[in-house]
Amino acid sequence: MQRLQFFSKFGRAGNWLLLANVMTGSTFAFIIPVMSYFFLDQKGDGLNARPIDFLIYLVAITFFGTLCNQFMGRMADKGHSSKWIYIFSMACSAIATLLYANIESVYLIFVVGIVFVSLGSAAVPQILTVSRQYADQANIDVNQFNSVLRASFAAGWVIGSSFSYELIARTGFSGAFYGSSIVSVLAIIVALYALPNYHKSKEHRTNGKPDFVPLGFWLLMGVMIIGNVANSLYMLSIPLIITNELLLPESLPGKLFAIVAFLEIPFMLYSAKLAIRFNRYHLVMVSFLMGLIFYLGIYFATQSWQFMVLQIFNAAFIGIYAGLGISIVQDQLPKFVGFTSTMYTNSLRIGSTLGAVGIFVVGEFFTYQAAVLAALACMLLCLIGLILLQASPTQKSV
């Protein structure tokens, strides 16, 4: 009963937004975790491409995706409907995965990725923009609603990635790509018939970009990017550390990812309650301290049970950092929700890509344990960045 009351306070449209977030997360979880496997697979129906091909692909879609996201965010702040931008982006995502399922050329994959995946990536910041607009209109606690939204996206990620690998095992990569397309279409149907549609009145419209962006905002974005670099370094290196360097069971990395994905959701939800009583920046600093403990523990861990126990600290880091991060970024420039939501999403993309580049460098010159030390250094930089941000005389206490 209490669970029903919890969701009822978000309203009918709010609950449909939660479902759309689950579907959006599932759509991208079907494809993003398997793309390196798809590129480099030599035994199945993958592309059997070179590692450098995948790196070029990753950098290209990050670059063009960032440009597309910025353009779409600017359109939303100019008064265009974020709902319809979201629908357009999800349609592009569906087209991309349909083409992926039927293409065997690396170069055609590049073209599809640069065009359709880049446009499709705007779906995430636009669903966040619609959600923030709804929360403001419905007078809902923004911290709590954003945390639940982030948790629903994480739940969708768990569902999508699990089904993706199952479909690959049964039907090959095409099954995962078709699965992503189907979920994209379902999300479009939900958006068409259930999501709110907001247009800014002429007096509230902007030119799409703030005339002045304070230095504190860019420092905050730097912290967000570096935090994602750390997470990316860990996620990409831990399978190699476990299987190649420590010779532990090959099934262990999958178990670790499942454990942290499950545990981070309650941390996301509870962080919103804590934000009512405590300064949000201080809570995010605590999350970075959890990250420090986690990466330090991972560096010295040698047994399976040690890796599993340490996921509690990883879940605390990701749950609080991701659960409150979007609200903090949006509140920096509240009149430019499209811009700030896009910048937040781009920080995820850029951080993940820089982490991938870092793994290639580490793999070339060091052992993969060095990537964990790099992630540890990233946590220190994030802490320093937030301390500097809080020390700024123009920074409001939130």
Side-chain angles (χ1 to χ4, degrees):
M1 189 67 180
Q2 288 182 338
R3 292 179 182 176
L4 291 176
Q5 290 176 346
F6 176 79
F7 287 105
S8 65
K9 64 184 174 183
F10 296 139
R12 179 177 176 273
N15 291 327
W16 281 113
L17 278 165
L18 294 180
L19 179 59
N21 267 273
V22 172
M23 291 181 170
T24 306
S26 294
T27 294
F28 293 102
F30 267 100
I31 55 174
I32 292 176
V34 305
M35 285 308 293
S36 60
Y37 185 22
F38 176 57
F39 263 79
L40 306 178
D41 179 51
Q42 299 177 354
K43 299 177 181 178
D45 58 343
L47 297 175
N48 191 19
R50 301 169 300 168
I52 190 64
D53 291 329
F54 175 65
L55 183 60
I56 292 171
Y57 166 85
L58 197 61
V59 171
I61 63 168
T62 299
F63 176 75
F64 287 103
T66 300
L67 293 180
C68 289
N69 285 359
Q70 290 297 127
F71 176 74
M72 299 292 192
R74 188 172 297 183
M75 287 181 64
D77 285 332
K78 284 182 176 180
H80 296 282
S81 168
S82 292
K83 168 182 172 177
W84 285 103
I85 298 174
Y86 168 75
I87 290 170
F88 170 77
S89 297
M90 289 302 286
C92 289
S93 178
I95 292 169
T97 47
L98 281 173
L99 292 172
Y100 277 178
N102 294 281
I103 288 176
E104 298 180 356
S105 166
V106 173
Y107 301 106
L108 287 177
I109 291 289
F110 281 170
V111 173
V112 171
I114 289 171
V115 177
F116 292 105
V117 174
S118 297
L119 290 169
S121 67
V124 177
Q126 291 308 309
I127 194 67
L128 291 175
T129 300
V130 176
S131 300
R132 178 59 186 256
Q133 290 170 336
Y134 171 73
D136 289 339
Q137 289 281 108
N139 199 26
I140 295 171
D141 183 87
V142 171
N143 290 319
Q144 188 174 62
F145 191 54
N146 274 339
S147 293
V148 175
L149 283 169
R150 192 64 179 79
S152 67
F153 190 89
W157 191 272
V158 173
I159 295 168
S161 58
S162 300
F163 275 101
S164 180
Y165 279 103
E166 184 66 25
L167 286 168
I168 289 171
R170 293 175 179 271
T171 65
F173 289 102
S174 60
F177 294 141
Y178 283 130
S180 178
S181 295
I182 291 170
V183 178
S184 296
V185 172
L186 292 175
I188 290 171
I189 294 171
V190 168
L192 283 169
Y193 292 100
L195 296 194
N197 190 25
Y198 298 110
H199 292 276
K200 286 187 176 182
S201 58
K202 288 184 178 181
E203 61 269 21
H204 289 98
R205 291 180 184 180
T206 69
N207 62 4
K209 186 179 179 181
D211 295 326
F212 172 74
V213 180
L215 180 61
F217 177 83
W218 296 117
L219 180 58
L220 178 61
M221 292 315 304
V223 169
M224 291 293 161
I225 290 172
I226 295 170
N228 282 292
V229 170
N231 188 46
S232 178
L233 285 168
Y234 162 74
M235 291 187 67
L236 293 172
S237 65
I238 198 64
L240 299 167
I241 292 171
I242 285 174
T243 57
N244 293 356
E245 297 182 7
L246 298 178
L247 303 179
L248 294 173
E250 293 183 357
S251 61
L252 181 58
K255 292 177 182 177
L256 299 180
F257 293 150
I259 290 170
V260 72
F262 177 77
L263 290 178
E264 71 184 28
I265 293 175
F267 277 105
M268 286 181 185
L269 299 177
Y270 193 60
S271 67
K273 293 184 178 180
L274 290 175
I276 298 173
R277 298 176 55 192
F278 301 103
N279 182 297
R280 289 182 297 182
Y281 285 104
H282 294 167
L283 291 173
V284 176
M285 287 181 191
V286 171
S287 78
F288 291 142
L289 286 173
M290 294 297 102
L292 275 172
I293 295 170
F294 172 67
Y295 293 125
L296 191 63
I298 289 294
Y299 184 76
F300 290 106
T302 57
Q303 302 296 321
S304 296
W305 69 268
Q306 295 169 343
F307 285 100
M308 290 184 178
V309 171
L310 284 167
Q311 296 311 308
I312 297 172
F313 296 99
N314 193 19
F317 159 50
I318 297 296
I320 301 172
Y321 164 68
L324 296 179
I326 176 63
S327 298
I328 292 174
V329 171
Q330 288 177 337
D331 287 347
Q332 288 284 313
L333 297 165
K335 293 183 179 180
F336 296 88
V337 178
F339 174 77
T340 53
S341 298
T342 297
M343 290 300 297
Y344 173 78
T345 307
N346 284 343
S347 74
L348 307 182
R349 296 170 60 88
I350 294 170
S352 297
T353 302
L354 291 175
V357 174
I359 287 295
F360 274 87
V361 174
V362 167
E364 190 71 26
F365 299 103
F366 309 98
T367 66
Y368 286 104
Q369 288 276 18
V372 180
L373 290 178
L376 191 68
C378 287
M379 290 296 94
L380 288 171
L381 288 174
C382 287
L383 274 171
I384 293 170
L386 278 189
I387 291 170
L388 290 174
L389 190 60
Q390 279 283 274
S392 171
T394 60
Q395 181 62 42
K396 60 181 180 180
S397 179
V398 291

